[in-house]
Amino acid sequence: LEKFDAGNFILVADVQKSLQVLSGHHRKQFSIPVIGITGSNGKTIVKEWLYQLLQPEFNIIRSPKSYNSQIGVPLSVWQINEDHTLGIFEAGISQKGEMKSLAEIIQPTIGVLTNIGEAHSEGFESQTQKLEEKLILFKDADIVIGPGPLLTNIDAEKRFTWGSDVANKIQIVNTSKEISQSLINVKYASEDVSFTVPFTDEASIENCITCISVLFNLGYNKKTIQERISSLHAIDMRLQLKKGINHCTIINDSYSADLTSLNIALHFLTQQQTGQQNIAVLSDFAETGKEDKELYKAIADALKNNKIQKLIAVGAKSEAYLPLFLPASLEMQYYKNTEEFIQNFRTSFFSNATVLIKGARQFGFERIVSLLDAKVHQTVLEVNLNAIAHNLKQFQKALLPGTRIMAMVKAFAYGSGGAEIAAILQFNNVDYLGVAYADEGIELRKMGISIPIMLLNTDESSFNALIDYNLQPVIFSFSLLHQFETFIKEQGLTNFPVHLEIETGMNRLGFSSQEIPDLTVHLQESSFIKIESVFSHLAASEDPNEDAFTNLQATILEQACKQIESVLSYSFLKHIANSAAIIRHPNLQMDMVRLGIGLYGIEVATNKLALQPVASLRTTIAQIKKLHKGETVSYNRRGKVNADATIATVRIGYADGYSRNFGNGIGKMWVNGHVVPVVGTVCMDMTMIDVTGIPGVKEGDEVIVFGEQIPVQQLAAWSNTIPYEIMTSISGRVKRVYFQE
């Protein structure tokens, strides 16, 4: 604890409950109005839009990102201080009994219910039960705003509802959509009022109506509401991590600029630091109620605390104040506006660095992101780093006390990207990483990964890399053992850490049971290696019909370990359980488990964990064609339309990893809320899909190949393979984009 000698520690029985009680007490010290938002969808969007709409009059404290959980809410509310004049906090729940604690923390004076849908329904018996649980948030609120049909159980004098019925405070007369905006006609206080909003999708229109209702309730006039609502913009709540020019890693957080989100973004940068230097590109910040000098001192402190070596600041206030608080050793550039920066942009300034792009919306920093973005084609694999951490925690909960975790990141982390995934795993304190080949381990070491790495497929050509990059080899045969010990002896080394693989029934690699006596004799006499672990691979842990064989494999391993232990003067780790065995065979967890495909959101033969999909493969429509009955599509004329059809060509093919097996209706994709079939043969770079009857489809629209809408397990079933093959087949030319909610 010497690193924290300036801190205080409180020992409690229940950390989460104590944090909630402490945060609730802190909230009671402030009498400012607080808006509490809940609902199935739209909570974060409504919160961010209300922040935009109300910022001119209030100094607002709000939940950062989507911090709406049992831990996120108290952390958010804890940030309230004397300068704030309004709080906006969101509350999310996944099961009955959770909202009471959040209500005691937020203590909203104004309640906002967005909607009730299917999201997070697993923990509730019915939609009615879910609604009742969410409404607990508003028990002591002065006013509750939301859709009329959902607030019938709220006292009439507290309801401020919207909907098509005349009984609502705001009656929705009708809405009409144009190309890029919608017209909402309402009746409020016996007056007909119209609002133009810059969205056409139903969810955004509904969220706009919710925001309009809040502003009316707060006393804003229709002119002010229209002026502000027309300036709303889509919110991307994700910290995007992507590859940039000159071996840079780009963190895109260009939708807002405030102290809370800056600290979150800088914290994310420290997790993902991959380059030799950290660069921040910041715009002026706008925080009502905080003096400029105080604000920019806090910004400068955050930059220094997170070891930013280069700064590009855009805006007059940044140029005026930041130099007062930053050291001369920090390389700084200042520009009056984004246009001036773009005119003077030099790629040489950005090389082998981790670059944070963070700016207020009006600065248009997406143009800077575009300059730094490494250009590839429009098919991308989006990887949710939050989901990796979530899935890891789900498995951690299933472990027996003291059991360690080796996370498998071989095969480019099952196609998801080795270094980026490894950084999250290292940050979340996994004990080991597992890779297949030396070059995978070398890449991780070069990207700053320092935890132990086990190398599964060791050969003589990788021996130098083992020493140079501190990798731990798996030894699976006497020939390999002798080769490696000879090498270690030549290097003048002793006690080099290795892992022994035992053959128990996979019949792939490993020392057989018959070889164990000779192995123990050799180990007893050798000083060149030190056994870190002894392990084996389960052949069918997911199959209930093979449970007897699975238990037999474990018994063979345990017997081998006993023989090896009998001749060594030290202990070693034992492990055999993979993702499926962690859940199906908890008695086989031993000292450590090897977490593989489950980490990436794919459960094998069990649905006991609430895993989240990690990867989403997306592409776009290149062209749309109208075909007549009888015309054919793609090579060999395999695809024939039986009626007039609309065919979209999308930018993905077998060179990207989308197998030819998906051709001729076997595979399907997700377009504008609909599942559509593949037509004809899958080409090298393109695939055709039938979008007949799908409204509003146009060139450039996004198409989801797999993700939440179409699970990767479904693709595997369609093509008669396994999710592992789908994930690892995604080509290296497909751009990986990493994000954190």
Side-chain angles (χ1 to χ4, degrees):
L1 297 179
E2 58 272 9
K3 291 194 300 183
F4 307 101
D5 56 359
N8 296 312
F9 290 82
I10 304 173
L11 183 64
V12 296
D14 187 327
V15 174
Q16 178 175 291
K17 184 61 180 176
S18 300
L19 174 65
Q20 292 174 344
V21 171
L22 187 62
S23 184
H25 174 75
H26 179 73
R27 162 70 180 93
K28 289 179 180 177
Q29 311 311 305
F30 304 93
S31 58
I32 63 173
V34 169
I35 300 174
I37 305 172
T38 192
S40 296
N41 303 103
K43 298 183 292 294
T44 304
I45 297 298
V46 169
K47 177 201 69 188
E48 292 299 318
W49 281 354
L50 287 176
Y51 174 77
Q52 292 179 37
L53 295 166
L54 299 174
Q55 194 177 31
E57 288 76 39
F58 296 95
N59 181 23
I60 301 172
I61 176 65
R62 71 196 194 280
S63 308
K65 303 291 181 183
S66 53
Y67 276 37
N68 57 31
S69 67
Q70 297 291 308
I71 295 176
V73 168
L75 291 177
S76 301
V77 172
W78 186 255
Q79 305 303 315
I80 302 176
N81 62 43
E82 292 78 6
D83 295 330
H84 296 124
T85 57
L86 174 67
I88 308 177
F89 302 106
E90 55 176 297
I93 55 172
S94 56
Q95 60 187 15
K96 185 174 173 57
E98 289 186 331
M99 188 58 86
K100 183 176 183 295
S101 59
L102 301 187
E104 292 172 351
I105 300 168
I106 297 175
Q107 303 163 36
T109 57
I110 300 171
V112 174
L113 179 69
T114 57
N115 55 47
I116 294 293
E118 294 299 323
H120 312 294
S121 293
E122 298 85 354
F124 302 96
E125 296 175 0
S126 64
Q127 295 291 80
T128 300
Q129 186 188 69
K130 182 163 66 171
L131 174 61
E132 291 172 351
E133 179 72 15
K134 289 183 181 292
L135 292 180
I136 292 173
L137 179 63
F138 310 137
K139 184 171 66 72
D140 297 319
D142 299 326
I143 197 76
V144 182
I145 299 167
L150 300 180
L151 299 183
T152 54
N153 290 337
I154 300 294
D155 293 340
E157 65 274 12
K158 293 174 58 173
R159 290 199 302 261
F160 192 100
T161 62
W162 60 265
S164 58
D165 193 273
V166 294
N168 292 293
K169 290 288 180 69
I170 296 180
Q171 181 190 2
I172 309 301
V173 178
N174 59 59
T175 61
S176 58
K177 301 176 184 178
E178 300 176 6
I179 295 176
S180 60
Q181 61 185 21
S182 299
L183 182 66
I184 304 173
N185 296 307
V186 307
K187 186 179 289 290
Y188 175 66
S190 301
E191 183 181 359
D192 292 322
V193 187
S194 296
F195 295 102
T196 300
V197 300
F199 307 100
T200 58
D201 63 288
E202 293 296 335
S204 295
I205 292 172
E206 186 176 294
N207 291 334
C208 282
I209 293 172
T210 299
C211 292
I212 290 169
S213 301
V214 173
L215 266 62
F216 267 134
N217 176 259
L218 291 175
Y220 286 78
N221 61 54
K222 61 182 181 181
K223 180 181 178 183
T224 301
I225 296 175
Q226 177 59 80
E227 288 175 352
R228 296 189 183 178
I229 210 84
S230 62
S231 66
L232 288 179
H233 56 86
I235 299 295
D236 189 346
M237 293 306 300
R238 306 173 303 177
L239 282 165
Q240 286 188 325
L241 184 70
K242 53 178 68 178
K243 293 189 182 300
I245 61 174
N246 300 337
H247 306 290
C248 286
T249 298
I250 309 301
I251 299 174
N252 178 18
D253 191 24
S254 57
Y255 83 98
S256 69
D258 58 83
L259 274 176
T260 302
S261 62
L262 173 65
N263 282 303
I264 292 171
L266 288 170
H267 180 63
F268 182 58
L269 181 146
T270 61
Q271 292 181 39
Q272 290 297 330
Q273 181 177 352
T274 55
Q276 295 178 351
Q277 57 185 343
N278 294 334
I279 301 176
V281 182
L282 304 181
S283 76
D284 281 353
F285 280 34
E287 294 209 359
T288 305
K290 192 180 287 289
E291 293 183 358
D292 288 339
K293 195 169 184 178
E294 179 187 3
L295 170 62
Y296 285 93
K297 182 182 185 302
I299 294 171
D301 289 342
L303 297 175
K304 288 185 289 187
N305 291 339
N306 288 276
K307 298 180 173 58
I308 297 295
Q309 284 101 24
K310 289 183 178 181
L311 170 68
I312 294 175
V314 180
K317 289 187 177 181
S318 296
E319 185 174 4
Y321 290 102
L322 283 177
L324 302 177
F325 308 108
L326 291 172
S329 58
L330 181 68
E331 188 174 348
M332 293 174 273
Q333 295 181 3
Y334 295 96
Y335 299 95
K336 293 184 176 61
N337 50 49
T338 306
E339 288 71 23
E340 184 180 10
F341 168 77
I342 292 173
Q343 290 170 5
N344 292 275
F345 176 73
R346 298 291 182 271
T347 59
S348 58
F349 189 81
F350 302 91
S351 179
N352 196 23
T354 307
V355 185
L356 171 64
I357 312 293
K358 184 158 188 60
R361 176 60 187 160
Q362 63 266 31
F363 283 84
F365 269 16
E366 64 272 9
R367 292 174 289 171
I368 296 178
V369 174
S370 179
L371 288 173
L372 293 170
D373 198 8
K375 302 299 187 293
V376 294
H377 79 90
Q378 295 183 43
T379 298
V380 300
L381 183 73
E382 287 192 342
V383 180
N384 185 340
L385 298 176
N386 288 98
I388 288 285
H390 168 85
N391 295 340
L392 174 63
K393 290 172 184 175
Q394 288 291 303
F395 279 98
Q396 286 173 329
K397 291 177 183 178
L399 295 181
L400 300 173
T403 305
R404 304 187 192 188
I405 289 182
M406 176 182 291
M408 306 307 294
V409 291
K410 61 181 182 175
F412 198 46
Y414 293 73
S416 299
E420 293 81 3
I421 301 297
I424 286 292
L425 296 171
Q426 178 171 271
F427 183 79
N428 284 278
N429 300 314
V430 300
D431 300 284
Y432 280 83
L433 296 176
V435 299
Y437 293 101
D439 55 353
E440 296 173 332
I442 292 169
E443 179 192 5
L444 297 184
R445 289 291 187 236
K446 286 182 175 179
M447 301 302 275
I449 302 302
S450 58
I451 59 178
I453 298 175
M454 183 180 82
L455 176 63
L456 286 165
N457 296 319
T458 309
D459 61 26
E460 194 170 4
S461 66
S462 65
F463 287 173
N464 281 310
L466 295 173
I467 296 175
D468 293 343
Y469 294 96
N470 189 24
L471 307 176
Q472 300 179 6
V474 167
I475 304 297
F476 49 77
S477 69
F478 275 111
S479 60
L480 180 61
L481 176 61
H482 295 319
Q483 289 173 349
F484 187 65
E485 286 188 324
T486 299
F487 175 79
I488 291 298
K489 181 179 179 180
E490 291 172 351
Q491 305 303 310
L493 300 175
T494 59
N495 294 316
F496 197 92
V498 304
H499 303 260
L500 297 181
E501 182 172 358
I502 308 300
E503 174 56 67
T504 62
M506 175 75 85
N507 288 315
R508 187 173 61 181
L509 294 173
F511 291 96
S512 68
S513 297
Q514 293 75 23
E515 292 176 307
I516 299 302
D518 290 339
L519 178 62
T520 57
V521 171
H522 183 90
L523 293 176
Q524 197 171 14
E525 299 172 351
S526 175
S527 62
F528 298 110
I529 61 173
K530 182 176 185 296
I531 310 303
E532 287 287 306
S533 80
V534 178
F535 73 99
S536 188
H537 286 280
L538 293 175
S541 62
E542 71 280 0
D543 189 348
N545 296 321
E546 299 291 348
D547 283 352
F549 186 78
T550 295
N551 289 321
L552 175 62
Q553 284 192 269
T555 299
I556 294 172
L557 175 64
E558 288 169 347
Q559 291 172 347
C561 288
K562 286 181 181 178
Q563 294 179 65
I564 296 170
E565 280 179 317
S566 68
V567 301
L568 297 181
S569 60
Y570 57 88
S571 61
F572 51 81
L573 299 173
K574 310 170 190 68
H575 51 106
I576 195 171
N578 54 11
S579 294
I582 291 171
I583 307 303
R584 294 200 65 251
H585 302 280
N587 59 307
L588 303 185
Q589 291 181 8
M590 299 185 178
D591 300 313
M592 185 162 66
V593 297
R594 298 192 304 276
L595 180 54
I597 197 71
L599 185 65
Y600 305 93
I602 299 171
E603 285 199 60
V604 181
T606 174
N607 292 308
K608 294 183 178 180
L609 300 181
L611 300 184
Q612 297 176 358
V614 167
S616 177
L617 182 59
R618 300 164 183 263
T619 187
T620 58
I621 294 175
Q623 189 176 29
I624 294 177
K625 292 180 179 293
K626 300 289 186 180
L627 299 188
H628 297 296
K629 178 180 178 180
E631 290 192 90
T632 59
V633 179
S634 195
Y635 291 115
N636 306 118
R637 304 189 68 197
R638 296 269 172 81
K640 185 176 182 180
V641 297
N642 298 319
D644 289 355
T646 303
I647 304 298
T649 299
V650 297
R651 296 178 169 96
I652 190 171
Y654 59 78
D656 302 297
Y658 193 70
S659 172
R660 282 170 56 90
N661 292 338
F662 291 120
N664 304 303
I666 300 298
K668 298 172 179 62
M669 299 184 189
W670 180 275
V671 182
N672 287 7
H674 296 77
V675 177
V676 300
V678 172
V679 180
T681 303
V682 174
C683 305
M684 181 181 289
D685 309 299
M686 297 286 176
T687 300
M688 280 61 74
I689 55 177
D690 188 344
V691 295
T692 305
I694 307 300
V697 177
K698 61 185 182 299
E699 294 174 1
D701 278 358
E702 182 178 73
V703 177
I704 297 174
V705 181
F706 67 71
E708 186 175 356
Q709 299 82 353
I710 301 181
V712 69
Q713 297 94 312
Q714 181 63 70
L715 264 73
W718 285 335
S719 61
N720 195 29
T721 186
I722 56 176
Y724 298 78
E725 183 175 356
I726 300 293
M727 295 286 292
T728 58
S729 295
I730 301 168
S731 165
R733 80 175 186 180
V734 173
K735 180 180 181 180
R736 271 70 172 173
V737 175
Y738 304 89
F739 66 90
Q740 187 174 51
E741 301 285 358

